[in-house]
Amino acid sequence: MIYAALACIAGSILAVLALRWINPPFTSFMVIRQIEAWQRDQQDFEIQYQWRYWNQISPELFLAVIAAEDQKYPVHYGFDTDSIRHALNTWQKTGRLRGASTITQQTAKNLYLWSGRSALRKALEAYFAMLLELFLEKKRILEIYANIVEFGNGIYGAESASIRYFGRPARRLTEAQASQLAAVLPSPRKYHAGRPSAYVAQRSRWIRRQMAQLGGILYLQNL
């Protein structure tokens, strides 16, 4: 039992450490989504995923996802304690558990785990988030996140989403387009970045205001 546990720990460390040099060819979320498609006999379903390096993605997108998802990303170590404390207070008062995940935690979840709110998954998410922060630079984690996050049903990463919704490569995304992509992240299968609903349009405008308040793309120098 002890040897099995040590083997799992060693394997998880190697899986994260390898990301310093190797781009993930797929993620657990992609595998799960493909299995779902097979189970539902969705024969025309296809995962869309194209890796792009940091300098091949518009800085507007990196800033937009930080503004939308995790504005303390450059300064925390994988966990936003203030958001966690606020989420716990909300849960105690209302019985609803709101999200408090950082970009690092979301990267860990998308890479290695599954969706849901079980204690086991959250514990594994925290564990992998700590490993990501320990072994990778902030820019690398954000680069991975922008490449693997789902922007639509089966559409993973900035390049696939940019081509699908705007007909252009990710390096040419404008501020407005980047903010629209970031606006759908809470529910990428419900909302459409290319045909924004009133909610997506409103959230996109809010994200652009936050991007400006952060200081624009110069904010990325903090990474």
Side-chain angles (χ1 to χ4, degrees):
M1 188 70 176
I2 294 177
Y3 291 119
L6 290 174
C8 288
I9 292 172
S12 62
I13 291 174
L14 288 175
V16 173
L17 187 59
L19 292 174
R20 297 180 68 168
W21 307 281
I22 300 173
N23 303 322
F26 57 86
T27 69
S28 66
F29 268 41
M30 294 178 195
V31 172
I32 291 169
R33 181 64 189 93
Q34 184 63 70
I35 292 173
E36 289 175 349
W38 288 334
Q39 291 175 336
R40 297 170 183 171
D41 198 27
Q42 298 173 342
Q43 298 181 7
D44 58 344
F45 176 81
E46 181 180 1
I47 295 291
Q48 299 177 47
Y49 172 52
Q50 300 180 63
W51 180 272
R52 290 296 181 267
Y53 287 97
W54 179 273
N55 60 3
Q56 296 175 307
I57 298 175
S58 170
E60 301 288 1
L61 181 68
F62 292 121
L63 181 62
V65 296
I66 288 176
E69 301 285 292
D70 185 5
Q71 295 189 14
K72 296 180 181 178
Y73 178 70
V75 297
H76 66 59
Y77 295 97
F79 307 94
D80 185 343
T81 54
D82 290 336
S83 292
I84 292 172
R85 190 179 304 111
H86 182 64
L88 290 174
N89 289 336
T90 301
W91 175 65
Q92 290 175 343
K93 293 177 181 177
T94 66
R96 293 185 303 169
L97 186 61
R98 60 183 290 274
S101 293
T102 62
I103 284 174
T104 307
Q105 289 174 273
Q106 293 178 53
T107 303
K109 179 181 68 175
N110 279 265
L111 276 171
Y112 303 113
L113 305 173
W114 62 94
S115 60
R117 295 183 179 274
S118 69
L120 173 61
R121 193 198 61 77
K122 294 299 291 184
L124 289 172
E125 178 185 295
Y127 170 71
F128 277 106
M130 288 189 292
L131 292 182
L132 287 170
E133 290 281 342
L134 180 62
F135 293 121
L136 304 183
E137 296 180 349
K138 285 285 190 179
K139 283 182 66 174
R140 178 58 171 168
I141 297 172
L142 185 58
E143 179 186 52
I144 293 171
Y145 177 74
N147 272 285
I148 67 171
V149 69
E150 188 176 23
F151 286 106
N153 187 21
I155 303 170
Y156 294 90
E159 183 73 4
S160 295
S162 183
I163 291 173
R164 174 66 178 271
Y165 296 127
F166 306 115
R168 59 176 57 195
R171 69 176 184 275
R172 293 180 54 207
L173 282 169
T174 66
E175 179 188 53
Q177 290 166 343
S179 67
Q180 285 174 221
L181 287 175
V184 306
L185 289 179
S187 300
R189 298 184 197 177
K190 178 179 179 181
Y191 300 113
H192 196 288
R195 299 191 301 273
S197 63
Y199 165 80
V200 171
Q202 181 182 25
R203 181 166 168 78
S204 177
R205 289 192 294 271
W206 177 85
I207 290 171
R208 290 198 294 275
R209 290 196 297 271
Q210 297 302 305
M211 293 167 70
Q213 290 178 15
L214 288 174
I217 59 175
L218 291 177
Y219 185 77
L220 298 174
Q221 295 178 356
N222 297 319
L223 300 178

mmCIF file of all heavy atoms in Angstrom, residues 152-187:
data_model
loop_
_atom_site.group_PDB
_atom_site.id
_atom_site.type_symbol
_atom_site.label_atom_id
_atom_site.label_comp_id
_atom_site.label_asym_id
_atom_site.label_seq_id
_atom_site.Cartn_x
_atom_site.Cartn_y
_atom_site.Cartn_z
ATOM 1 N N GLY A 152 -15.981 26.255 -25.998
ATOM 2 C CA GLY A 152 -17.222 25.855 -26.635
ATOM 3 C C GLY A 152 -17.274 24.343 -26.640
ATOM 4 O O GLY A 152 -16.321 23.685 -26.215
ATOM 5 N N ASN A 153 -18.349 23.786 -27.108
ATOM 6 C CA ASN A 153 -18.512 22.339 -27.077
ATOM 7 C C ASN A 153 -17.444 21.644 -27.914
ATOM 8 O O ASN A 153 -17.500 21.640 -29.148
ATOM 9 C CB ASN A 153 -19.900 21.957 -27.590
ATOM 10 C CG ASN A 153 -20.186 20.475 -27.423
ATOM 11 O OD1 ASN A 153 -19.567 19.787 -26.619
ATOM 12 N ND2 ASN A 153 -21.139 19.976 -28.185
ATOM 13 N N GLY A 154 -16.442 21.061 -27.248
ATOM 14 C CA GLY A 154 -15.363 20.383 -27.954
ATOM 15 C C GLY A 154 -14.299 21.304 -28.517
ATOM 16 O O GLY A 154 -13.393 20.844 -29.204
ATOM 17 N N ILE A 155 -14.380 22.593 -28.232
ATOM 18 C CA ILE A 155 -13.430 23.576 -28.757
ATOM 19 C C ILE A 155 -12.466 23.965 -27.638
ATOM 20 O O ILE A 155 -12.838 24.695 -26.710
ATOM 21 C CB ILE A 155 -14.155 24.824 -29.295
ATOM 22 C CG1 ILE A 155 -15.158 24.413 -30.370
ATOM 23 C CG2 ILE A 155 -13.161 25.832 -29.853
ATOM 24 C CD1 ILE A 155 -16.080 25.531 -30.799
ATOM 25 N N TYR A 156 -11.243 23.504 -27.739
ATOM 26 C CA TYR A 156 -10.273 23.690 -26.667
ATOM 27 C C TYR A 156 -9.128 24.585 -27.119
ATOM 28 O O TYR A 156 -8.523 24.358 -28.172
ATOM 29 C CB TYR A 156 -9.726 22.335 -26.210
ATOM 30 C CG TYR A 156 -10.776 21.468 -25.563
ATOM 31 C CD1 TYR A 156 -11.545 20.595 -26.333
ATOM 32 C CD2 TYR A 156 -11.032 21.535 -24.197
ATOM 33 C CE1 TYR A 156 -12.524 19.800 -25.753
ATOM 34 C CE2 TYR A 156 -12.020 20.752 -23.617
ATOM 35 C CZ TYR A 156 -12.757 19.891 -24.391
ATOM 36 O OH TYR A 156 -13.733 19.120 -23.812
ATOM 37 N N GLY A 157 -8.853 25.584 -26.317
ATOM 38 C CA GLY A 157 -7.706 26.433 -26.559
ATOM 39 C C GLY A 157 -7.990 27.650 -27.407
ATOM 40 O O GLY A 157 -8.962 27.719 -28.158
ATOM 41 N N ALA A 158 -7.081 28.631 -27.285
ATOM 42 C CA ALA A 158 -7.255 29.915 -27.943
ATOM 43 C C ALA A 158 -7.286 29.819 -29.460
ATOM 44 O O ALA A 158 -8.085 30.481 -30.121
ATOM 45 C CB ALA A 158 -6.136 30.862 -27.504
ATOM 46 N N GLU A 159 -6.392 28.988 -30.039
ATOM 47 C CA GLU A 159 -6.302 28.916 -31.495
ATOM 48 C C GLU A 159 -7.578 28.353 -32.106
ATOM 49 O O GLU A 159 -8.141 28.937 -33.050
ATOM 50 C CB GLU A 159 -5.098 28.068 -31.903
ATOM 51 C CG GLU A 159 -4.874 27.986 -33.396
ATOM 52 C CD GLU A 159 -4.322 29.261 -34.004
ATOM 53 O OE1 GLU A 159 -4.030 30.220 -33.249
ATOM 54 O OE2 GLU A 159 -4.180 29.318 -35.236
ATOM 55 N N SER A 160 -8.041 27.225 -31.594
ATOM 56 C CA SER A 160 -9.254 26.609 -32.145
ATOM 57 C C SER A 160 -10.457 27.533 -31.989
ATOM 58 O O SER A 160 -11.278 27.675 -32.904
ATOM 59 C CB SER A 160 -9.525 25.270 -31.448
ATOM 60 O OG SER A 160 -8.507 24.340 -31.733
ATOM 61 N N ALA A 161 -10.560 28.189 -30.829
ATOM 62 C CA ALA A 161 -11.692 29.080 -30.580
ATOM 63 C C ALA A 161 -11.636 30.310 -31.469
ATOM 64 O O ALA A 161 -12.652 30.750 -32.018
ATOM 65 C CB ALA A 161 -11.711 29.491 -29.109
ATOM 66 N N SER A 162 -10.450 30.877 -31.627
ATOM 67 C CA SER A 162 -10.308 32.075 -32.449
ATOM 68 C C SER A 162 -10.663 31.803 -33.905
ATOM 69 O O SER A 162 -11.361 32.596 -34.553
ATOM 70 C CB SER A 162 -8.872 32.595 -32.338
ATOM 71 O OG SER A 162 -8.716 33.789 -33.064
ATOM 72 N N ILE A 163 -10.196 30.669 -34.418
ATOM 73 C CA ILE A 163 -10.515 30.311 -35.808
ATOM 74 C C ILE A 163 -12.001 30.007 -35.956
ATOM 75 O O ILE A 163 -12.652 30.443 -36.919
ATOM 76 C CB ILE A 163 -9.654 29.119 -36.254
ATOM 77 C CG1 ILE A 163 -8.189 29.547 -36.366
ATOM 78 C CG2 ILE A 163 -10.152 28.554 -37.586
ATOM 79 C CD1 ILE A 163 -7.238 28.409 -36.640
ATOM 80 N N ARG A 164 -12.550 29.276 -35.001
ATOM 81 C CA ARG A 164 -13.960 28.877 -35.085
ATOM 82 C C ARG A 164 -14.895 30.091 -35.012
ATOM 83 O O ARG A 164 -15.840 30.209 -35.804
ATOM 84 C CB ARG A 164 -14.275 27.908 -33.955
ATOM 85 C CG ARG A 164 -15.738 27.512 -33.836
ATOM 86 C CD ARG A 164 -16.229 26.705 -35.034
ATOM 87 N NE ARG A 164 -17.601 26.299 -34.881
ATOM 88 C CZ ARG A 164 -17.983 25.159 -34.292
ATOM 89 N NH1 ARG A 164 -17.071 24.322 -33.831
ATOM 90 N NH2 ARG A 164 -19.251 24.861 -34.183
ATOM 91 N N TYR A 165 -14.654 30.989 -34.082
ATOM 92 C CA TYR A 165 -15.599 32.082 -33.830
ATOM 93 C C TYR A 165 -15.303 33.357 -34.610
ATOM 94 O O TYR A 165 -16.222 34.119 -34.927
ATOM 95 C CB TYR A 165 -15.637 32.401 -32.339
ATOM 96 C CG TYR A 165 -16.152 31.264 -31.492
ATOM 97 C CD1 TYR A 165 -15.414 30.803 -30.402
ATOM 98 C CD2 TYR A 165 -17.356 30.635 -31.775
ATOM 99 C CE1 TYR A 165 -15.877 29.757 -29.619
ATOM 100 C CE2 TYR A 165 -17.822 29.591 -31.002
ATOM 101 C CZ TYR A 165 -17.071 29.156 -29.932
ATOM 102 O OH TYR A 165 -17.530 28.107 -29.160
ATOM 103 N N PHE A 166 -14.008 33.608 -34.924
ATOM 104 C CA PHE A 166 -13.654 34.885 -35.533
ATOM 105 C C PHE A 166 -12.894 34.751 -36.847
ATOM 106 O O PHE A 166 -12.563 35.755 -37.475
ATOM 107 C CB PHE A 166 -12.831 35.729 -34.541
ATOM 108 C CG PHE A 166 -13.499 35.913 -33.208
ATOM 109 C CD1 PHE A 166 -12.942 35.375 -32.058
ATOM 110 C CD2 PHE A 166 -14.703 36.596 -33.099
ATOM 111 C CE1 PHE A 166 -13.550 35.531 -30.821
ATOM 112 C CE2 PHE A 166 -15.327 36.756 -31.877
ATOM 113 C CZ PHE A 166 -14.765 36.216 -30.729
ATOM 114 N N GLY A 167 -12.587 33.515 -37.250
ATOM 115 C CA GLY A 167 -11.925 33.317 -38.521
ATOM 116 C C GLY A 167 -10.522 33.873 -38.596
ATOM 117 O O GLY A 167 -10.069 34.272 -39.684
ATOM 118 N N ARG A 168 -9.834 33.891 -37.476
ATOM 119 C CA ARG A 168 -8.475 34.418 -37.449
ATOM 120 C C ARG A 168 -7.643 33.658 -36.427
ATOM 121 O O ARG A 168 -8.199 33.080 -35.487
ATOM 122 C CB ARG A 168 -8.474 35.903 -37.103
ATOM 123 C CG ARG A 168 -9.101 36.238 -35.747
ATOM 124 C CD ARG A 168 -8.967 37.720 -35.431
ATOM 125 N NE ARG A 168 -9.563 38.538 -36.463
ATOM 126 C CZ ARG A 168 -9.330 39.850 -36.579
ATOM 127 N NH1 ARG A 168 -8.518 40.453 -35.718
ATOM 128 N NH2 ARG A 168 -9.907 40.542 -37.536
ATOM 129 N N PRO A 169 -6.320 33.643 -36.576
ATOM 130 C CA PRO A 169 -5.482 32.948 -35.594
ATOM 131 C C PRO A 169 -5.477 33.678 -34.257
ATOM 132 O O PRO A 169 -5.789 34.874 -34.182
ATOM 133 C CB PRO A 169 -4.100 32.955 -36.238
ATOM 134 C CG PRO A 169 -4.123 34.122 -37.174
ATOM 135 C CD PRO A 169 -5.526 34.208 -37.680
ATOM 136 N N ALA A 170 -5.111 32.968 -33.220
ATOM 137 C CA ALA A 170 -5.148 33.530 -31.874
ATOM 138 C C ALA A 170 -4.233 34.729 -31.714
ATOM 139 O O ALA A 170 -4.490 35.601 -30.882
ATOM 140 C CB ALA A 170 -4.784 32.451 -30.859
ATOM 141 N N ARG A 171 -3.155 34.796 -32.487
ATOM 142 C CA ARG A 171 -2.222 35.921 -32.342
ATOM 143 C C ARG A 171 -2.842 37.237 -32.791
ATOM 144 O O ARG A 171 -2.350 38.311 -32.445
ATOM 145 C CB ARG A 171 -0.945 35.655 -33.133
ATOM 146 C CG ARG A 171 -1.112 35.675 -34.637
ATOM 147 C CD ARG A 171 0.220 35.500 -35.372
ATOM 148 N NE ARG A 171 0.067 35.607 -36.818
ATOM 149 C CZ ARG A 171 -0.282 34.616 -37.607
ATOM 150 N NH1 ARG A 171 -0.495 33.411 -37.086
ATOM 151 N NH2 ARG A 171 -0.397 34.805 -38.908
ATOM 152 N N ARG A 172 -3.949 37.167 -33.558
ATOM 153 C CA ARG A 172 -4.586 38.381 -34.086
ATOM 154 C C ARG A 172 -5.878 38.739 -33.344
ATOM 155 O O ARG A 172 -6.618 39.609 -33.794
ATOM 156 C CB ARG A 172 -4.874 38.194 -35.570
ATOM 157 C CG ARG A 172 -3.622 38.093 -36.439
ATOM 158 C CD ARG A 172 -3.991 37.903 -37.894
ATOM 159 N NE ARG A 172 -4.915 38.943 -38.348
ATOM 160 C CZ ARG A 172 -5.787 38.791 -39.341
ATOM 161 N NH1 ARG A 172 -5.877 37.622 -39.960
ATOM 162 N NH2 ARG A 172 -6.586 39.773 -39.696
ATOM 163 N N LEU A 173 -6.136 38.112 -32.237
ATOM 164 C CA LEU A 173 -7.341 38.448 -31.470
ATOM 165 C C LEU A 173 -7.292 39.894 -30.990
ATOM 166 O O LEU A 173 -6.277 40.364 -30.465
ATOM 167 C CB LEU A 173 -7.467 37.525 -30.262
ATOM 168 C CG LEU A 173 -7.994 36.110 -30.505
ATOM 169 C CD1 LEU A 173 -7.803 35.261 -29.262
ATOM 170 C CD2 LEU A 173 -9.462 36.153 -30.907
ATOM 171 N N THR A 174 -8.400 40.591 -31.147
ATOM 172 C CA THR A 174 -8.504 41.951 -30.629
ATOM 173 C C THR A 174 -8.914 41.924 -29.156
ATOM 174 O O THR A 174 -9.271 40.865 -28.615
ATOM 175 C CB THR A 174 -9.549 42.749 -31.415
ATOM 176 O OG1 THR A 174 -10.851 42.171 -31.168
ATOM 177 C CG2 THR A 174 -9.256 42.726 -32.911
ATOM 178 N N GLU A 175 -8.878 43.067 -28.532
ATOM 179 C CA GLU A 175 -9.302 43.162 -27.130
ATOM 180 C C GLU A 175 -10.754 42.726 -26.977
ATOM 181 O O GLU A 175 -11.093 41.970 -26.059
ATOM 182 C CB GLU A 175 -9.134 44.593 -26.619
ATOM 183 C CG GLU A 175 -9.567 44.786 -25.176
ATOM 184 C CD GLU A 175 -9.571 46.237 -24.773
ATOM 185 O OE1 GLU A 175 -10.217 47.047 -25.487
ATOM 186 O OE2 GLU A 175 -8.947 46.571 -23.753
ATOM 187 N N ALA A 176 -11.616 43.192 -27.875
ATOM 188 C CA ALA A 176 -13.035 42.847 -27.794
ATOM 189 C C ALA A 176 -13.254 41.352 -27.989
ATOM 190 O O ALA A 176 -14.035 40.722 -27.259
ATOM 191 C CB ALA A 176 -13.830 43.641 -28.828
ATOM 192 N N GLN A 177 -12.576 40.760 -28.955
ATOM 193 C CA GLN A 177 -12.727 39.330 -29.212
ATOM 194 C C GLN A 177 -12.194 38.506 -28.047
ATOM 195 O O GLN A 177 -12.802 37.505 -27.651
ATOM 196 C CB GLN A 177 -12.011 38.966 -30.507
ATOM 197 C CG GLN A 177 -12.689 39.526 -31.753
ATOM 198 C CD GLN A 177 -11.821 39.451 -32.986
ATOM 199 O OE1 GLN A 177 -10.595 39.274 -32.896
ATOM 200 N NE2 GLN A 177 -12.425 39.589 -34.151
ATOM 201 N N ALA A 178 -11.060 38.922 -27.499
ATOM 202 C CA ALA A 178 -10.494 38.223 -26.345
ATOM 203 C C ALA A 178 -11.448 38.268 -25.160
ATOM 204 O O ALA A 178 -11.640 37.271 -24.453
ATOM 205 C CB ALA A 178 -9.143 38.835 -25.967
ATOM 206 N N SER A 179 -12.063 39.417 -24.949
ATOM 207 C CA SER A 179 -12.987 39.550 -23.820
ATOM 208 C C SER A 179 -14.240 38.701 -24.035
ATOM 209 O O SER A 179 -14.812 38.178 -23.075
ATOM 210 C CB SER A 179 -13.366 41.014 -23.600
ATOM 211 O OG SER A 179 -14.135 41.528 -24.680
ATOM 212 N N GLN A 180 -14.669 38.531 -25.286
ATOM 213 C CA GLN A 180 -15.818 37.675 -25.561
ATOM 214 C C GLN A 180 -15.492 36.206 -25.286
ATOM 215 O O GLN A 180 -16.329 35.468 -24.747
ATOM 216 C CB GLN A 180 -16.275 37.857 -27.012
ATOM 217 C CG GLN A 180 -17.011 39.154 -27.270
ATOM 218 C CD GLN A 180 -17.340 39.384 -28.724
ATOM 219 O OE1 GLN A 180 -17.220 40.489 -29.240
ATOM 220 N NE2 GLN A 180 -17.750 38.339 -29.412
ATOM 221 N N LEU A 181 -14.290 35.787 -25.633
ATOM 222 C CA LEU A 181 -13.886 34.412 -25.325
ATOM 223 C C LEU A 181 -13.828 34.199 -23.820
ATOM 224 O O LEU A 181 -14.316 33.191 -23.305
ATOM 225 C CB LEU A 181 -12.520 34.112 -25.955
ATOM 226 C CG LEU A 181 -12.492 33.936 -27.471
ATOM 227 C CD1 LEU A 181 -11.058 33.765 -27.959
ATOM 228 C CD2 LEU A 181 -13.329 32.732 -27.891
ATOM 229 N N ALA A 182 -13.240 35.144 -23.108
ATOM 230 C CA ALA A 182 -13.144 35.015 -21.651
ATOM 231 C C ALA A 182 -14.520 35.045 -21.000
ATOM 232 O O ALA A 182 -14.733 34.427 -19.958
ATOM 233 C CB ALA A 182 -12.268 36.133 -21.082
ATOM 234 N N ALA A 183 -15.459 35.737 -21.615
ATOM 235 C CA ALA A 183 -16.794 35.892 -21.031
ATOM 236 C C ALA A 183 -17.579 34.592 -20.996
ATOM 237 O O ALA A 183 -18.484 34.436 -20.177
ATOM 238 C CB ALA A 183 -17.585 36.947 -21.802
ATOM 239 N N VAL A 184 -17.249 33.631 -21.874
ATOM 240 C CA VAL A 184 -18.018 32.383 -21.909
ATOM 241 C C VAL A 184 -17.438 31.318 -20.985
ATOM 242 O O VAL A 184 -18.039 30.250 -20.833
ATOM 243 C CB VAL A 184 -18.108 31.810 -23.346
ATOM 244 C CG1 VAL A 184 -18.652 32.855 -24.302
ATOM 245 C CG2 VAL A 184 -16.759 31.279 -23.820
ATOM 246 N N LEU A 185 -16.292 31.571 -20.375
ATOM 247 C CA LEU A 185 -15.615 30.531 -19.610
ATOM 248 C C LEU A 185 -16.429 29.924 -18.464
ATOM 249 O O LEU A 185 -16.264 28.734 -18.187
ATOM 250 C CB LEU A 185 -14.269 31.049 -19.081
ATOM 251 C CG LEU A 185 -13.198 31.242 -20.157
ATOM 252 C CD1 LEU A 185 -11.908 31.769 -19.548
ATOM 253 C CD2 LEU A 185 -12.933 29.938 -20.895
ATOM 254 N N PRO A 186 -17.290 30.669 -17.812
ATOM 255 C CA PRO A 186 -18.074 29.986 -16.761
ATOM 256 C C PRO A 186 -18.929 28.845 -17.297
ATOM 257 O O PRO A 186 -19.130 27.845 -16.607
ATOM 258 C CB PRO A 186 -18.949 31.114 -16.197
ATOM 259 C CG PRO A 186 -18.203 32.361 -16.504
ATOM 260 C CD PRO A 186 -17.547 32.119 -17.827
ATOM 261 N N SER A 187 -19.447 28.976 -18.517
ATOM 262 C CA SER A 187 -20.314 27.945 -19.110
ATOM 263 C C SER A 187 -20.084 27.911 -20.613
ATOM 264 O O SER A 187 -20.925 28.364 -21.397
ATOM 265 C CB SER A 187 -21.784 28.239 -18.804
ATOM 266 O OG SER A 187 -22.025 28.266 -17.409
#
